[in-house]
Amino acid sequence: MLKDKKLSAYKPSATRIKARFVAISWRDLAVSFGPFILLILVGAWLVIWLIRPAPPSSITIAAGPKDSNFWRVAERYRDILARDGIKLSLVETGGSLDNLKRLADPAQDVDVGFVQGGLAGAVEADALSPLVSLGSISYVPVSVYYRSPPPREDGRAAPPLRQLSELSGKRIAIGGDGSGSSVLAATLLKANGVEQGGGTELLNIGGDEAAQALTSGKIDAAFLMGDSVSLATMGKLLRAPGIRLMDFSQADAYVRRYRYLNILKMPMGVFDLARNLPARDTQLIAPTAELVAREDLHPALSDLLIEAAHEVHGKANVMQKAGEFPAPLEHEYRVSDDAARYYKSGKTFFYRTLPFWLASLVDRAVVILLPVILLLIPGIRLVPMLYGWRIRSRIYRMYGELIALERGISRETPEEQAEILKRLDEIEAAVNRMKMPLAFADQFYVLREHIGFVRTRLEHQAMA
């Protein structure tokens, strides 16, 4: 029985718990914590305002003409992004130049697009400043197909064309309006002195239309590139009788003059061993296709797009080595900070280990909570100090009034002493009404003792 009584003495009763809460000065607590809580809320709001919102669930890509190589690549991107719940909408365009113009126009609802190198000069520089590159994704060979020249007078076959200047006076399809092929073809032909007029016809047709015109004899040559024609069409032309693929004998010179161009060496038979296509080692020149985006593209979507590019373009083929693309090659557009970070260190921890939707939520929560935690660390120390200072300042204020009353005891008349006693009663009543945290109970009771001491002196003075 005695043991039970001892144990019950240590159990927190409802009365004790109530006493602890009654002793709290809620006003002082609010004044102490209020500014700090307000600071945290303002900091959290600033963080939310400054950081990017959650990634959107859908984006739009400027692809190219339907059935072009770019269009087929965009379809593969769409399937890959769908795994993470992101809808990729494809926009049919005229080709690389059209893609670039749409990206540079804020009124166009396009977020990302395939852009062939060598087109930056066709758009105003100010319009290009908000655009960034997510990396080069593939080579885009400058494929010039031409009809074999007629045999010589002696019956021997005419030598193959190896320089663009040899196309002077011929009918040449340079690509449809809006295609990168048309811009690059015009640039390269002009550098070789081949321009419209004087028997030379530059026709703005491309894709399957240009291939058909070439095989039917309506034109003499055609520039065909990945933004306007499919690989299947290029393969058919390689196998078509009387059609040849130009070997760029001046490839080194082109690369020196145009920094966005590269040399591609196609070994004999690389396209078709049985038919030995091409029939000899062939040099081509090629810009790279870049994945260009607006600079406000969400970082998480940037990572997903580069991931898709790795899956689509990372394998080896006749044009490239395994792992060669995508790559942060900076030509005409600066590589975005998010892309540079991805190529250097990969995806962030959360996006690497969690599902995309959950990683997005956690990533934003961490960004918001981090400054809050940084504010809480000093706050945990400062707020209790401020709260204690307010309680002590109230006690000290009472002591100040008490000292002033005590000093006037010996100099006042009996009527004034009665007034002092009344004031002392008011001070004592005010002290008794004070909500005093238990940590300051000793100071509270000492103050009450001192009030009693002053009262005793006052009563003795009145009796003297």
Side-chain angles (χ1 to χ4, degrees), residues 53-54 67 78 165 180 189 231 250 305 359 376 416 443 448:
D67 295 326
R78 179 178 59 192
S165 58
L189 288 171
L231 290 176
Q250 298 173 310
L305 286 165
L376 278 175
E416 292 173 333
Q443 300 180 44
R448 292 181 65 180

Side-chain angles (χ1 to χ4, degrees), residues 143-159:
S143 302
V144 181
Y145 295 90
Y146 63 94
R147 297 187 62 80
S148 299
R152 294 178 175 177
E153 294 181 0
D154 57 8
R156 290 185 301 170

Side-chain angles (χ1 to χ4, degrees), residues 388-405:
W389 174 81
R390 287 188 58 84
I391 299 298
R392 283 191 294 271
S393 66
R394 186 171 295 130
I395 294 174
Y396 297 155
R397 187 167 63 251
M398 293 298 179
Y399 269 114
E401 294 188 26
L402 197 59
I403 290 172
L405 289 178

Side-chain angles (χ1 to χ4, degrees), residues 236-280:
K236 288 179 182 179
L237 288 176
L238 278 174
R239 296 170 178 82
I243 305 298
R244 292 186 180 183
L245 176 64
M246 179 175 285
D247 179 7
F248 281 81
S249 61
Q250 298 173 310
D252 289 304
Y254 283 109
V255 172
R256 293 288 183 90
R257 292 191 59 174
Y258 304 100
R259 65 185 186 92
Y260 51 81
L261 292 178
N262 305 274
I263 297 177
L264 293 183
K265 294 183 178 181
M266 302 290 104
M268 180 175 59
V270 69
F271 293 118
D272 191 326
L273 289 170
R275 298 187 181 184
N276 194 30
L277 298 175
R280 60 183 60 82

Side-chain angles (χ1 to χ4, degrees), residues 94-396:
S96 285
L97 180 59
D98 195 8
N99 294 351
L100 182 60
K101 288 180 177 180
R102 288 173 186 255
L103 285 167
D105 184 358
Q108 294 288 329
D109 186 20
V110 174
D111 303 294
V112 65
F114 300 121
V115 178
Q116 168 196 303
L119 306 182
V123 179
E124 292 184 8
D126 292 341
L128 294 179
S129 58
L131 303 184
V132 293
S133 171
L134 304 186
S136 297
I137 57 174
S138 65
Y139 293 116
V140 185
V142 179
S143 302
V144 181
Y145 295 90
Y146 63 94
R147 297 187 62 80
S148 299
R152 294 178 175 177
E153 294 181 0
D154 57 8
R156 290 185 301 170
L161 303 185
R162 304 195 65 185
Q163 297 180 16
L164 291 180
S165 58
E166 296 178 274
L167 295 178
S168 180
K170 299 184 181 298
R171 299 163 297 175
I172 311 166
I174 61 174
D177 288 331
S179 69
S181 173
S182 63
V183 176
L184 186 54
T187 299
L188 299 179
L189 288 171
K190 184 176 181 180
N192 282 272
V194 181
E195 297 186 71
Q196 184 77 24
T200 302
E201 292 185 59
L202 303 183
L203 308 171
N204 282 115
I205 57 174
D208 292 339
E209 183 184 358
Q212 181 63 35
L214 183 62
T215 54
S216 64
K218 294 180 181 179
I219 59 175
D220 302 304
F223 283 76
L224 298 176
M225 302 178 68
D227 69 335
S228 58
V229 70
S230 65
L231 290 176
T233 299
M234 292 185 181
K236 288 179 182 179
L237 288 176
L238 278 174
R239 296 170 178 82
I243 305 298
R244 292 186 180 183
L245 176 64
M246 179 175 285
D247 179 7
F248 281 81
S249 61
Q250 298 173 310
D252 289 304
Y254 283 109
V255 172
R256 293 288 183 90
R257 292 191 59 174
Y258 304 100
R259 65 185 186 92
Y260 51 81
L261 292 178
N262 305 274
I263 297 177
L264 293 183
K265 294 183 178 181
M266 302 290 104
M268 180 175 59
V270 69
F271 293 118
D272 191 326
L273 289 170
R275 298 187 181 184
N276 194 30
L277 298 175
R280 60 183 60 82
D281 291 347
T282 303
Q283 284 195 130
L284 301 179
I285 55 175
T288 58
E290 294 189 54
L291 196 55
V292 176
R294 290 176 176 166
E295 61 182 356
D296 60 353
L297 182 71
H298 195 281
L301 295 180
S302 171
D303 289 359
L304 284 182
L305 286 165
I306 298 173
E307 249 191 352
H310 272 292
E311 186 171 336
V312 175
H313 309 286
K315 300 179 179 63
N317 57 41
V318 295
M319 299 290 183
Q320 66 189 51
K321 300 175 183 177
E324 190 172 355
F325 293 107
L329 307 177
E330 194 162 293
H331 295 302
E332 297 165 292
Y333 319 96
R334 64 182 178 87
V335 176
S336 76
D337 295 337
D338 296 318
R341 183 261 311 155
Y342 182 93
Y343 286 110
K344 183 177 180 181
S345 56
K347 292 194 295 185
T348 60
F349 173 77
F350 295 122
Y351 285 100
R352 193 166 55 247
T353 56
L354 299 174
F356 181 78
W357 68 269
L358 182 57
S360 172
L361 182 64
V362 173
D363 190 50
R364 296 185 74 240
V366 168
V367 173
I368 294 172
L369 289 175
L370 186 60
V372 173
I373 293 172
L374 292 176
L375 288 174
L376 278 175
I377 292 173
I380 291 173
R381 299 181 60 185
L382 291 176
V383 171
M385 293 172 59
L386 178 61
Y387 180 68
W389 174 81
R390 287 188 58 84
I391 299 298
R392 283 191 294 271
S393 66
R394 186 171 295 130
I395 294 174
Y396 297 155

